[in-house]
Amino acid sequence: MNRLIGDLLDVMRIDAGRLSLELEELSVSSVLAVAEESVRYLAAERDITVEIGHAAGQLHVRGDRGRLVQVLGNLLGNAIKFSPVGGLVRLGVSRDGDRVVFEVADQGPGISYRDQEHLFDRYWQARSSDRRGVGLGLAIARGIVEAHGGRLWVDSEVGRGSRFSFTIPIVTSRANAA
Ligand SMILES: Nc1ncnc2c1ncn2[C@@H]1O[C@H](COP(=O)(O)OP(=O)(O)OP(=O)(O)O)[C@@H](O)[C@H]1O
Ligand SMILES: [Mg+2]
């Protein structure tokens, strides 16, 4: 399906509180691998290295595989799009109590504090001349993460790159984990 149509449908579902998730126990490293694969071409085009942290180890979360790959694909897509050619994007995970924290960090231009207030608004773009997207990615990503009971935020400083982080509930009893 055309991505814009898919994005608009997602916005409507999130608005209506009807984003249905197919929750299962997921191995974090398998989710990272699929997300990385989904942006491999984009990264190669701009000679960008996507480095995956190894801390994923045996971590498992309760989530919707397709939706989590979509969130990571969005964050990685942004990181790649806004990085200088030849840059490095890091994809990492860590455990924080009863949650897993996912992080996507880039060495791009960074985002001013003022712009950070609008970043997650739908249709917002720092440069309205940017025709590569329409400004829905982060609004949808936040809606998906919140539907999982997690939260999504940014740490960024102009000239120092950006780091987007989100949390998803951890699964510690892994009897049925995929
Ligand atoms: N990693 C980043 N570095 C710098 N600016 C960013 C980064 N990620 C997002 N932004 C800024 O936030 C805006 C909104 O991002 P968002 O993902 O919602 O939309 P988009 O990427 O422009 O379009 P879409 O995701 O719908 O294709 C971007 O246009 C850009 O100005
Ligand atoms: Mg985007």
Side-chain angles (χ1 to χ4, degrees):
M1 192 184 346
N2 179 306
R3 189 170 72 91
L4 180 59
I5 294 175
D7 282 355
L8 288 169
L9 285 172
D10 284 346
V11 165
M12 289 169 64
R13 290 189 186 105
I14 289 165
D15 261 357
R18 302 186 88 166
L19 188 74
S20 59
L21 300 178
E22 282 181 40
L23 295 176
E24 48 174 337
E25 297 186 12
L26 302 170
S27 112
V28 169
S29 52
S30 75
V31 172
L32 297 190
V34 177
E36 187 273 331
E37 161 93 52
S38 76
V39 297
R40 199 170 286 169
Y41 179 77
L42 206 64
E45 256 186 343
R46 311 203 63 240
D47 191 26
I48 285 167
T49 305
V50 178
E51 189 181 276
I52 304 191
H54 291 291
Q58 296 299 311
L59 291 175
H60 288 73
V61 289
R62 185 156 181 78
D64 180 313
R65 185 185 297 277
R67 290 299 188 180
L68 292 185
V69 167
Q70 183 182 354
V71 172
L72 285 167
N74 250 305
L75 298 179
L76 288 169
N78 284 347
I80 291 166
K81 182 161 65 169
F82 296 108
S83 281
V85 168
L88 175 68
V89 170
R90 288 205 177 85
L91 172 57
V93 287
S94 56
R95 181 177 177 171
D96 177 17
D98 57 0
R99 297 163 296 204
V100 171
V101 185
F102 293 75
E103 289 181 351
V104 175
D106 66 56
Q107 302 173 328
I111 303 157
S112 70
Y113 290 117
R114 211 180 140 157
D115 284 353
Q116 286 177 34
E117 286 178 29
H118 305 289
L119 207 53
F120 297 95
D121 297 349
R122 53 188 66 157
Y123 304 115
W124 186 88
Q125 297 185 303
R127 277 165 299 280
S128 50
S129 58
D130 197 329
R131 295 282 153 75
R132 293 171 295 181
V134 296
L136 288 176
L138 286 174
I140 293 168
R142 180 170 265 179
I144 291 173
V145 168
E146 289 179 351
H148 280 81
R151 111 192 154 76
L152 166 62
W153 69 96
V154 65
D155 294 290
S156 182
E157 218 178 294
V158 171
R160 296 183 145 243
S162 306
R163 184 180 64 219
F164 287 83
S165 311
F166 65 93
T167 55
I168 297 293
I170 199 168
V171 173
T172 44
S173 65
R174 303 197 310 271
N176 304 309

